[in-house]
Amino acid sequence: MDIETVVSEPAKLGESPMWSAVEQKLYWVDIDGRALHRFDPSTGQDESWPMPEEIGCIATRTDNRVLLGLRNGFANFNPTTGELIRLLDPEADKPDNRFNDGTTDAKGRFWGGTMRMGAPAEKPEGAFYRLDADLGCHRMIDGFWTTNGLAFSPDGRTLYLSDSNAKVRTIWAFDYDLDAGVPSNRRVFVDTRDMAGRPDGGACDADGCYWMAGIGGGELVRFTPTGKVDRTIKVPVRNPTKIAFGGRALDVIHVTSLQRAGDPPDPLAGRLIAITGAGVTGMAIPPFAG
């Protein structure tokens, strides 16, 4: 197994890596740096586009545009022209909230979670939303401090999500009605309070195992579908934020990370990392169907 830094310029808050099978490139974001990035493994080049506000999550589209989850709602972005078209803002009444984590289900619906920025809220103000192909937006699950961990099982019938807040640090699983886009039977999948890291971004591999970026713990953790720890990979950053499987065989694990003021020295903090030779294959994430 080989672990290397593939983008040396550090992000302030690297997040939301998303592999484009069509382009064979990795999109990812710098939330606090307000930028969308696109990394080309074949050349080692990383492009970026400034955003008008914090950008939390993304999805690829079939028309080569990118769906964005911004501080002020959803937008489409065209990397070729630089055109950004705003779509809708489900939390226009909450100016201190922004989108954080997101992914698509097997039907191409986009799931995105929100969280409060800045000073801690007095109560959990984040929620998970489902954006349909017709741009119908539905508030699905309430009561979260820091929405994270969104991923779907290979058959699309299990939804995973988490709250990485230090008071919660729990991953849940749901049965997922793929036809209706509705989760049910919420249950604790993993309580991470006895683990080194808190549950940040999540992903599922082709074997149906769930991967957690253990923020604060410097590790990636693979869980079996029953929630048992199967494998741990130490990474050279204290705060990995999310993983995405990429490469033509979906066997490269890309890891984003963040810098945190006041932390002990962490020389590679904020870099984009690639892990090869792990012996694991990921799942292709469907593009947004809208």
Side-chain angles (χ1 to χ4, degrees):
M1 189 170 63
D2 183 62
I3 302 176
E4 65 174 329
T5 298
V6 291
V7 176
S8 58
E9 183 67 26
K12 294 180 179 179
L13 175 45
E15 261 287 8
S16 195
M18 186 70 66
W19 181 253
S20 170
V22 173
E23 298 180 68
Q24 289 293 297
K25 297 177 182 179
L26 182 82
Y27 285 91
W28 60 287
V29 309
D30 184 348
I31 297 177
D32 289 346
R34 299 185 177 188
L36 171 69
H37 289 253
R38 182 172 64 187
F39 170 66
D40 184 347
S42 68
T43 64
Q45 294 185 335
D46 184 64
E47 304 172 85
S48 65
W49 295 266
M51 292 288 119
E53 62 211 39
E54 293 85 355
I55 172 174
C57 51
I58 56 178
T60 60
R61 294 174 52 103
T62 56
D63 59 6
N64 293 323
R65 293 185 296 171
V66 183
L67 177 71
L68 313 178
L70 297 165
R71 174 175 181 170
N72 295 311
F74 296 109
N76 282 328
F77 180 72
N78 187 326
T80 301
T81 65
E83 181 184 36
L84 186 148
I85 300 175
R86 293 190 183 272
L87 301 175
L88 59 104
D89 184 0
E91 293 195 345
D93 59 331
K94 296 183 176 181
D96 292 327
N97 275 18
R98 66 164 172 81
F99 272 94
N100 191 46
D101 191 39
T103 195
T104 51
D105 70 11
K107 296 283 189 179
R109 307 179 190 95
F110 186 75
W111 276 74
T114 61
M115 62 172 284
R116 183 184 173 94
M117 300 184 297
E122 295 181 356
K123 60 181 180 179
E125 296 185 359
F128 287 96
Y129 292 85
R130 193 193 76 217
L131 183 68
D132 296 341
D134 63 0
L135 301 186
C137 187
H138 309 273
R139 189 180 179 99
M140 301 300 294
I141 316 172
D142 291 296
F144 294 87
W145 298 91
T146 309
T147 55
N148 254 316
L150 282 165
F152 288 90
S153 60
D155 65 1
R157 300 293 180 178
T158 302
L159 164 65
Y160 299 95
L161 53 81
S162 69
D163 191 328
S164 56
N165 184 277
K167 295 180 289 188
V168 184
R169 49 186 311 167
T170 299
I171 307 169
W172 292 273
F174 297 74
D175 296 334
Y176 190 67
D177 185 330
L178 187 55
D179 293 326
V182 176
S184 62
N185 188 26
R186 178 175 177 170
R187 56 207 181 265
V188 173
F189 179 62
V190 179
D191 182 333
T192 72
R193 280 175 285 190
D194 292 329
M195 302 182 70
R198 294 177 287 113
D200 207 314
C204 280
D205 62 28
D207 296 326
C209 292
Y210 179 90
W211 288 75
M212 173 192 92
I215 190 168
E219 61 186 20
L220 312 178
V221 185
R222 185 193 199 216
F223 300 97
T224 68
T226 60
K228 302 297 183 184
V229 174
D230 174 74
R231 184 177 182 184
T232 299
I233 297 177
K234 291 292 184 180
V235 291
V237 289
R238 184 176 297 105
N239 294 303
T241 55
K242 190 169 183 175
I243 78 168
F245 291 94
R248 293 195 179 277
L250 296 176
D251 58 354
V252 180
I253 304 174
H254 299 95
V255 187
T256 50
S257 65
L258 64 83
Q259 305 178 63
R260 179 169 286 157
D263 272 2
D266 192 6
L268 298 181
R271 271 67 168 185
L272 178 66
I273 294 165
I275 303 173
T276 55
V280 180
T281 301
M283 291 169 39
I285 305 299
F288 176 57

